[in-house]
Amino acid sequence: MTSIFGPRLAAIIVKELWLVLRDPRARISLILPPFIQLFVFAYASTLEVKNVTIGVLDRDGGQWSHEIIQRVAGSPSVRGIVRFDADAAVADAINTQRVIAVLRFDSHFSADVSAGRGAVVGAVFDGRKSNAAQIVDGYVDRIVAGVSADVHVARPPPVPGSTDVTYWFNPNLDYLWFTIPSLVVIISLASSTSVVSQSVAREKEMGTYDQLMVSPFRVWEILVGKMVPPVLIGMANATLYLVVNPFVFGVPFRGSLLLFYPSLIVFLLAMTGIGMLVSVVSNTQQQAFLGMFALTVPAFLLSGYAAPIDNIPPFLQLVAEANPAKHFQIVTEGLFLKGMPAADVFTNTWPMAVIAVVTIAVASYLFRSRLE
Amino acid sequence: MSDKFNPRRFGAMLVKESLQIVRDPSTLLIAFVLPMLLLFMFGYGVNFDTPRSRIGLSLQDNSEAAKSLAGSFQSSRWFDVVETGAVSQLSSEMVAGRIRGIIVIPHGFGRQVAWGSGDIQVLTDGSMPNTASFIGAYAEGLRATWAGARAGDRGTTRPPPIRTAARFWFNPELKSRYFLVPGSIAAVMTIVGTLLTSLVIAREWERGTLEAIMATPVGMIELIATKVVPYFLLALVSMTLCSVLAITVFGVPFRGSPLALLVISSTFLFPALGQGLWISAATKNQFVASQVALVSGLLPTLLLSGFIFEINSMPKPIQAITYLVPSRYLIPQMQTVFIAGDDWSLFLPNMVMLIGFGFLFFFLAVRATKRRIA
Amino acid sequence: MADAVASVHGLTKRFSGQEKAALDKISMDIEPGKMTGLVGPDGAGKTTLIRILAGLIDPDAGEATVFGRAATATDRSMIGYMPQRFGLYEDLSVIENLRLYADLRGLPPADRQASFDRLLDFTDLKRFTDRLAGKLSGGMKQKLGLACAMVRAPKLLLLDEPSVGVDPLSRRELWQMVKDLAGDGIGVLWSTAYLDEAEKCDTVTLLSEGKGLYAGPPQALTDKICNRVLRLAVPSEGRRVILQRALDDPAIIDGTVQGDALRLMLKANTAPPTPQSLGLKSGSLFETVQPRFEDAFIDLLGGGPSGTSQLAEHYRKIAATDAPAIVADGLSRRFGDFTAADLVSFSVPRGQIFGLLGPNGAGKSTTFKMLCGLLTPSEGRGSVAGFDLHSAKADARQSLGYMAQKFSLYGDLSVRQNLNFFAGAYGLKNGDAREAIERSIEIFHLHRYLKENASTMPLGFKQRLALACAVLHQPPVLFLDEPTSGVDPIVRREFWTHINGLVEKGVTVLVTTHFMDEAEYCDRATLIYRARQIATGTPDELKALAGKADAKMEDAFIALIKASNLQREAA
């Protein structure tokens, strides 16, 4: 064999790149995911709770209920207050989801406060949206505690001591600081796998597969050729986000790009390895598409982005270990916000390298053995 | 003349379609296996319940009080103390993502407690904002309870002037599964109603069978009806199966009536099927149809329907888009019929919207389905 | 003359984005009781015309009437339509497909059983009523498609290429079935790319690139060139060289090899060249033969290409060796309990054309794929240029040029990108690659398509590009899988000119075809039927085996298949 990078390898890489750039369908899968994700994910996929409407049933009408209602209404997370005057109306508003919560003040509320009898705000939440309800409960608690602290009737402080909470890496708990690093993972995942999963299946469907197999290509040349475009596309998308971020979102990147890119490449190799497996076992683009869909949804849900990995059952946590996105999510989050050092990046990169090696090896074995 | 509805032709086409459904493994795969996967992922894989967070504990004081509070953290069901040591050491654990928060019980804590105060410090990982604020709030809660209990022992405390008594209707334990699983059934109906339906008609175009059918006297209304009825029933079967699993396996309560669930599902399938028909008539190609169905059907159902992400929290322009997503009108109904019960004052306005979308999509589908080969 | 059941007048259809009209002012009548042929190569406009008659496409100009009404508003229950892919539901059984179409076309339930019995008898599908349509052979699918179109006796039967890819025997049976039906007063429109079928029609419309070249009885067209088609016996050794000389002679406008003879067409009002000028001994005689429809078609198109292949001129000389270039040694392939190829054996010496003949699904492609390493043989072994391509290193594939059945280049890449890719695939370095590519563009007239997507070219150019890519690296062995399927006869002639020229340079060619007359070009050929070789030999030997020395190859083929069927039944 002459040099590894001969005319054959060059030819197949160039061909694969052109195929992706010229095929209108592939072009769609290049343009659409970043577009959708940028606009929809960055803004829509927020687990923050904002703009809520809260109901109030104020039978008290005194100083303290008024104070609490004022502060709730003034909270940046609250869009508005709806007043009710009967329990039936409260139930109806919650049932029909016009309000997510209702604060109920008894007629002797302010009197209880003034008398130091320990007044109680009755709060009712819509448990159908358990996540949002819980967060709103947190808001309400904080406001009530604030008002409570201002009540000057108490002689000794109700409970001694305090907790000083500091949010490291993201002092204002800005949700975008979580979303944007995660989007780098999701976007490079989605764009690279959608390209690679079609690559072999398309050749089979278009009838070019046989032509390829009777040419003097080595299996590794074909696989390398087919993996270059998705890896480049994944890198391009990630880079796009890195470049756009400071101007649009302003999320800090505190780590080293020299750590980010090698880890990104390993991640993309692992994802394209998985995508290549799907592509090799599929006979049509249709099957490849459905197969990829069936894999990217779990990869997305088990990445730690959709919901914290710590919460899921142990056996699924084990499955998540085989998900490159789970590992890379830690790396991007670490490099963006925490300035993660090389050792930690490496700790989270080698599992992806293992996944890449295994999937690519299996894909090339299947590629060889499924020649018929 | 020949375009008038003819029950015999309709029956023959129904038989054909049903035989195809039963005999085509990929149809059954999409109608039953993919839904199971989705249900499973949302039943187990996604969980917004208050996490048991992995934290580090830095105990810098060796007084009895400090040890007592540390013990409270260690035995708390909200925290999993995986590491103890100096803050510098713990902070690198937090950078590595192995712990999400650090509780610091500072030097001199015991003395402070003796004087009637006793402050602690909590450092949390802001890169996961929700977890970070949960840890902050729960740590304070735990500390306050601990301090309250100690003070109570000595009789030096009294309740705060105002406190909140929160009640969570329908879901007192705040299980996120209760809203995720019914929501994923909405996604399942989108898969069968829109994705699968668009695929099967596009397949007939691709295989050339529709060409032969259209050269016969079959009416376009009959043709569309024979696609709608079997996949409507298939989607209901799939929905029923998922609902049964939701109740039995995932333990989601079912407080509404089966009739209401059936009516809700049926009104949703009207626009879902219409959209599927429209997509297939407009694309005539399985691959393109599946992409379009995914982007215009399933993704909005997952992202823009209020299923996972609160619509109210989205920016205004995106909120405006959600009004065009039929599943936006389904999700509240599904969550209500499962965990709240029948509430027709919530159902009916949503149903009206769904039926409106149904008419729109069917109009577009009928217009796009011509007895012509472009 | 009986009233036409259907007619088109001045029909024009132009698809958006296409330069040329798919149909350009076409007029024709379909009369009851007659077979009307719609003849032309792929892309001529046959399918568009049939779809317009079926009311599935609106014409841009002109009119299409069926039963006296516009085709889009006529009584569809009286039209039997069989589209190119038959319109069968593969997940449904034979009887379920029949029932579906019976109900759709409103066959009265009382007549149903009788109609089914008659059609199942007719098509010989009675034994398979419960078999899924997807599991039927190509020929059986065609018959079922016809039965579905006929389930309620139509007045107009539209058949879009019903005979493509079917073995000659089934083709004849199908023809006979339809001909009998036409006898009952049905108007039949039969579209085909096989020019020999055109000869048998009562009346023919010949289409080429959307234009009507001829309409009328086929005989009238062939009569125009009577006395201009000649047969010339030649020694089998130098026949390719003699054909080349003959085609380069201005008096000859077309020529083909016919076993040990040449079939030549003279330019109108021209005297034939002397045999000596073609390099033959004096005493060789031109003998006038019956012209065929294909000859007439080529004459209409202005004659075939000249005899010298530019491709061959620039090809390297392949060194002579004694070792055979291609060997198949007891190749068998089974898929489960289905045997796709059964003990196929042959050996092809360097510099010869070897033909694999047979209907679709007989085992040609399976054999082909085993030889080029795409399929693992269940038994036996094959070699190409001395290598077993299934186990040899990738470099061994360098000695093979491969042109797959159907267009199998990258349709989304431009013509130049395809050429660049294949030059790289075969390891051609910069200068060599550039030279080879430029030459191919020149030889195959690809200039005006260089920047276009390969998929948008006309079929003839796609096939040219496929051949160009297969020979960029000048391999000693060339595998061609149905290289001329669907293209017009001029392109077919051009291909054979190239193939003949390459063989003279020492290239060995393995070719499959279902055009039986193309088998005549082969030095030797083997006939594969139901996975087995039923005959092997030179074209003349095959004809002799069938007991008809000067018959058409197709007749020989049918005789051999019938003999094989008899043998099989006896066994």
Side-chain angles (χ1 to χ4, degrees), chain C residues 149-168:
Chain C
M150 297 286 311
V151 70
R152 179 176 180 190
K155 285 198 251 170
L156 172 64
L157 187 57
L158 303 169
L159 304 172
D160 195 359
E161 301 211 23
S163 58
V164 71
V166 187
D167 66 89

PDB file of all heavy atoms in Angstrom, chain C residues 149-168:
ATOM      1  N   ALA C 149     -56.951  -5.795 -14.139  1.00  0.00           N
ATOM      2  CA  ALA C 149     -57.440  -4.803 -15.091  1.00  0.00           C
ATOM      3  C   ALA C 149     -58.647  -5.333 -15.865  1.00  0.00           C
ATOM      4  O   ALA C 149     -59.469  -4.573 -16.353  1.00  0.00           O
ATOM      5  CB  ALA C 149     -56.320  -4.413 -16.059  1.00  0.00           C
ATOM      6  N   MET C 150     -58.727  -6.657 -15.959  1.00  0.00           N
ATOM      7  CA  MET C 150     -59.763  -7.285 -16.787  1.00  0.00           C
ATOM      8  C   MET C 150     -60.944  -7.786 -15.964  1.00  0.00           C
ATOM      9  O   MET C 150     -61.834  -8.401 -16.522  1.00  0.00           O
ATOM     10  CB  MET C 150     -59.172  -8.510 -17.499  1.00  0.00           C
ATOM     11  CG  MET C 150     -58.065  -8.221 -18.448  1.00  0.00           C
ATOM     12  SD  MET C 150     -58.693  -7.467 -19.930  1.00  0.00           S
ATOM     13  CE  MET C 150     -60.008  -8.580 -20.321  1.00  0.00           C
ATOM     14  N   VAL C 151     -60.915  -7.572 -14.658  1.00  0.00           N
ATOM     15  CA  VAL C 151     -61.849  -8.313 -13.803  1.00  0.00           C
ATOM     16  C   VAL C 151     -63.303  -8.018 -14.174  1.00  0.00           C
ATOM     17  O   VAL C 151     -64.160  -8.879 -14.094  1.00  0.00           O
ATOM     18  CB  VAL C 151     -61.535  -8.047 -12.313  1.00  0.00           C
ATOM     19  CG1 VAL C 151     -61.891  -6.627 -11.915  1.00  0.00           C
ATOM     20  CG2 VAL C 151     -62.236  -9.039 -11.418  1.00  0.00           C
ATOM     21  N   ARG C 152     -63.545  -6.797 -14.600  1.00  0.00           N
ATOM     22  CA  ARG C 152     -64.857  -6.545 -15.202  1.00  0.00           C
ATOM     23  C   ARG C 152     -64.575  -6.209 -16.652  1.00  0.00           C
ATOM     24  O   ARG C 152     -63.879  -5.215 -16.928  1.00  0.00           O
ATOM     25  CB  ARG C 152     -65.532  -5.373 -14.503  1.00  0.00           C
ATOM     26  CG  ARG C 152     -66.877  -5.071 -15.120  1.00  0.00           C
ATOM     27  CD  ARG C 152     -67.573  -3.977 -14.362  1.00  0.00           C
ATOM     28  NE  ARG C 152     -68.857  -3.711 -14.972  1.00  0.00           N
ATOM     29  CZ  ARG C 152     -69.619  -2.676 -14.638  1.00  0.00           C
ATOM     30  NH1 ARG C 152     -69.211  -1.839 -13.714  1.00  0.00           N
ATOM     31  NH2 ARG C 152     -70.772  -2.491 -15.229  1.00  0.00           N
ATOM     32  N   ALA C 153     -65.056  -7.012 -17.575  1.00  0.00           N
ATOM     33  CA  ALA C 153     -64.686  -6.879 -18.983  1.00  0.00           C
ATOM     34  C   ALA C 153     -64.747  -5.414 -19.403  1.00  0.00           C
ATOM     35  O   ALA C 153     -65.812  -4.803 -19.416  1.00  0.00           O
ATOM     36  CB  ALA C 153     -65.624  -7.717 -19.848  1.00  0.00           C
ATOM     37  N   PRO C 154     -63.592  -4.805 -19.702  1.00  0.00           N
ATOM     38  CA  PRO C 154     -63.574  -3.392 -20.057  1.00  0.00           C
ATOM     39  C   PRO C 154     -63.842  -3.205 -21.552  1.00  0.00           C
ATOM     40  O   PRO C 154     -63.813  -4.166 -22.323  1.00  0.00           O
ATOM     41  CB  PRO C 154     -62.143  -2.968 -19.725  1.00  0.00           C
ATOM     42  CG  PRO C 154     -61.329  -4.203 -19.934  1.00  0.00           C
ATOM     43  CD  PRO C 154     -62.235  -5.384 -19.719  1.00  0.00           C
ATOM     44  N   LYS C 155     -64.072  -1.963 -21.925  1.00  0.00           N
ATOM     45  CA  LYS C 155     -64.168  -1.661 -23.351  1.00  0.00           C
ATOM     46  C   LYS C 155     -62.836  -1.125 -23.856  1.00  0.00           C
ATOM     47  O   LYS C 155     -62.572  -1.131 -25.046  1.00  0.00           O
ATOM     48  CB  LYS C 155     -65.274  -0.626 -23.589  1.00  0.00           C
ATOM     49  CG  LYS C 155     -66.671  -1.231 -23.481  1.00  0.00           C
ATOM     50  CD  LYS C 155     -67.693  -0.326 -24.134  1.00  0.00           C
ATOM     51  CE  LYS C 155     -68.565   0.321 -23.071  1.00  0.00           C
ATOM     52  NZ  LYS C 155     -69.416   1.385 -23.568  1.00  0.00           N
ATOM     53  N   LEU C 156     -62.051  -0.612 -22.897  1.00  0.00           N
ATOM     54  CA  LEU C 156     -60.731  -0.096 -23.264  1.00  0.00           C
ATOM     55  C   LEU C 156     -59.715  -0.654 -22.282  1.00  0.00           C
ATOM     56  O   LEU C 156     -59.897  -0.585 -21.070  1.00  0.00           O
ATOM     57  CB  LEU C 156     -60.745   1.439 -23.182  1.00  0.00           C
ATOM     58  CG  LEU C 156     -59.390   2.139 -23.346  1.00  0.00           C
ATOM     59  CD1 LEU C 156     -58.821   1.904 -24.743  1.00  0.00           C
ATOM     60  CD2 LEU C 156     -59.511   3.630 -23.070  1.00  0.00           C
ATOM     61  N   LEU C 157     -58.651  -1.235 -22.821  1.00  0.00           N
ATOM     62  CA  LEU C 157     -57.618  -1.814 -21.974  1.00  0.00           C
ATOM     63  C   LEU C 157     -56.319  -1.059 -22.227  1.00  0.00           C
ATOM     64  O   LEU C 157     -55.830  -1.018 -23.363  1.00  0.00           O
ATOM     65  CB  LEU C 157     -57.457  -3.305 -22.315  1.00  0.00           C
ATOM     66  CG  LEU C 157     -56.540  -4.136 -21.433  1.00  0.00           C
ATOM     67  CD1 LEU C 157     -56.969  -4.088 -19.984  1.00  0.00           C
ATOM     68  CD2 LEU C 157     -56.526  -5.583 -21.930  1.00  0.00           C
ATOM     69  N   LEU C 158     -55.796  -0.433 -21.162  1.00  0.00           N
ATOM     70  CA  LEU C 158     -54.567   0.347 -21.281  1.00  0.00           C
ATOM     71  C   LEU C 158     -53.453  -0.411 -20.575  1.00  0.00           C
ATOM     72  O   LEU C 158     -53.524  -0.623 -19.367  1.00  0.00           O
ATOM     73  CB  LEU C 158     -54.737   1.728 -20.637  1.00  0.00           C
ATOM     74  CG  LEU C 158     -55.872   2.589 -21.167  1.00  0.00           C
ATOM     75  CD1 LEU C 158     -56.088   3.805 -20.274  1.00  0.00           C
ATOM     76  CD2 LEU C 158     -55.588   3.032 -22.594  1.00  0.00           C
ATOM     77  N   LEU C 159     -52.444  -0.836 -21.312  1.00  0.00           N
ATOM     78  CA  LEU C 159     -51.369  -1.616 -20.713  1.00  0.00           C
ATOM     79  C   LEU C 159     -50.055  -0.873 -20.889  1.00  0.00           C
ATOM     80  O   LEU C 159     -49.595  -0.658 -22.006  1.00  0.00           O
ATOM     81  CB  LEU C 159     -51.288  -2.993 -21.396  1.00  0.00           C
ATOM     82  CG  LEU C 159     -52.580  -3.802 -21.376  1.00  0.00           C
ATOM     83  CD1 LEU C 159     -52.447  -5.050 -22.242  1.00  0.00           C
ATOM     84  CD2 LEU C 159     -52.948  -4.198 -19.967  1.00  0.00           C
ATOM     85  N   ASP C 160     -49.458  -0.484 -19.755  1.00  0.00           N
ATOM     86  CA  ASP C 160     -48.215   0.275 -19.822  1.00  0.00           C
ATOM     87  C   ASP C 160     -47.028  -0.668 -19.660  1.00  0.00           C
ATOM     88  O   ASP C 160     -46.755  -1.152 -18.566  1.00  0.00           O
ATOM     89  CB  ASP C 160     -48.214   1.347 -18.725  1.00  0.00           C
ATOM     90  CG  ASP C 160     -47.136   2.400 -18.962  1.00  0.00           C
ATOM     91  OD1 ASP C 160     -46.395   2.267 -19.956  1.00  0.00           O
ATOM     92  OD2 ASP C 160     -47.043   3.333 -18.158  1.00  0.00           O
ATOM     93  N   GLU C 161     -46.341  -0.934 -20.742  1.00  0.00           N
ATOM     94  CA  GLU C 161     -45.194  -1.839 -20.779  1.00  0.00           C
ATOM     95  C   GLU C 161     -45.457  -3.135 -20.014  1.00  0.00           C
ATOM     96  O   GLU C 161     -44.748  -3.464 -19.059  1.00  0.00           O
ATOM     97  CB  GLU C 161     -43.948  -1.150 -20.220  1.00  0.00           C
ATOM     98  CG  GLU C 161     -43.616   0.097 -21.004  1.00  0.00           C
ATOM     99  CD  GLU C 161     -42.134   0.397 -21.043  1.00  0.00           C
ATOM    100  OE1 GLU C 161     -41.327  -0.543 -20.859  1.00  0.00           O
ATOM    101  OE2 GLU C 161     -41.776   1.551 -21.294  1.00  0.00           O
ATOM    102  N   PRO C 162     -46.465  -3.878 -20.436  1.00  0.00           N
ATOM    103  CA  PRO C 162     -46.799  -5.093 -19.694  1.00  0.00           C
ATOM    104  C   PRO C 162     -45.724  -6.169 -19.806  1.00  0.00           C
ATOM    105  O   PRO C 162     -45.665  -7.058 -18.973  1.00  0.00           O
ATOM    106  CB  PRO C 162     -48.102  -5.564 -20.348  1.00  0.00           C
ATOM    107  CG  PRO C 162     -48.058  -4.979 -21.711  1.00  0.00           C
ATOM    108  CD  PRO C 162     -47.335  -3.670 -21.594  1.00  0.00           C
ATOM    109  N   SER C 163     -44.851  -6.081 -20.795  1.00  0.00           N
ATOM    110  CA  SER C 163     -43.961  -7.213 -21.037  1.00  0.00           C
ATOM    111  C   SER C 163     -42.534  -6.955 -20.613  1.00  0.00           C
ATOM    112  O   SER C 163     -41.664  -7.766 -20.831  1.00  0.00           O
ATOM    113  CB  SER C 163     -43.981  -7.564 -22.519  1.00  0.00           C
ATOM    114  OG  SER C 163     -43.598  -6.432 -23.280  1.00  0.00           O
ATOM    115  N   VAL C 164     -42.278  -5.813 -19.958  1.00  0.00           N
ATOM    116  CA  VAL C 164     -40.885  -5.493 -19.657  1.00  0.00           C
ATOM    117  C   VAL C 164     -40.325  -6.449 -18.609  1.00  0.00           C
ATOM    118  O   VAL C 164     -40.981  -6.780 -17.625  1.00  0.00           O
ATOM    119  CB  VAL C 164     -40.746  -4.018 -19.208  1.00  0.00           C
ATOM    120  CG1 VAL C 164     -41.337  -3.793 -17.844  1.00  0.00           C
ATOM    121  CG2 VAL C 164     -39.303  -3.578 -19.242  1.00  0.00           C
ATOM    122  N   GLY C 165     -39.146  -6.969 -18.897  1.00  0.00           N
ATOM    123  CA  GLY C 165     -38.456  -7.810 -17.925  1.00  0.00           C
ATOM    124  C   GLY C 165     -38.977  -9.223 -17.792  1.00  0.00           C
ATOM    125  O   GLY C 165     -38.530  -9.979 -16.948  1.00  0.00           O
ATOM    126  N   VAL C 166     -39.941  -9.603 -18.615  1.00  0.00           N
ATOM    127  CA  VAL C 166     -40.502 -10.946 -18.511  1.00  0.00           C
ATOM    128  C   VAL C 166     -39.791 -11.841 -19.520  1.00  0.00           C
ATOM    129  O   VAL C 166     -39.322 -11.388 -20.562  1.00  0.00           O
ATOM    130  CB  VAL C 166     -42.004 -10.902 -18.813  1.00  0.00           C
ATOM    131  CG1 VAL C 166     -42.648 -12.241 -18.547  1.00  0.00           C
ATOM    132  CG2 VAL C 166     -42.671  -9.848 -17.979  1.00  0.00           C
ATOM    133  N   ASP C 167     -39.713 -13.130 -19.210  1.00  0.00           N
ATOM    134  CA  ASP C 167     -39.023 -14.006 -20.138  1.00  0.00           C
ATOM    135  C   ASP C 167     -39.819 -14.124 -21.432  1.00  0.00           C
ATOM    136  O   ASP C 167     -41.035 -13.904 -21.456  1.00  0.00           O
ATOM    137  CB  ASP C 167     -38.791 -15.380 -19.508  1.00  0.00           C
ATOM    138  CG  ASP C 167     -40.076 -16.103 -19.254  1.00  0.00           C
ATOM    139  OD1 ASP C 167     -40.545 -16.823 -20.153  1.00  0.00           O
ATOM    140  OD2 ASP C 167     -40.649 -15.917 -18.159  1.00  0.00           O
ATOM    141  N   PRO C 168     -39.161 -14.445 -22.537  1.00  0.00           N
ATOM    142  CA  PRO C 168     -39.830 -14.423 -23.847  1.00  0.00           C
ATOM    143  C   PRO C 168     -41.056 -15.329 -23.906  1.00  0.00           C
ATOM    144  O   PRO C 168     -42.049 -14.988 -24.552  1.00  0.00           O
ATOM    145  CB  PRO C 168     -38.747 -14.932 -24.799  1.00  0.00           C
ATOM    146  CG  PRO C 168     -37.458 -14.670 -24.111  1.00  0.00           C
ATOM    147  CD  PRO C 168     -37.736 -14.744 -22.651  1.00  0.00           C
TER     148      PRO C 168
END
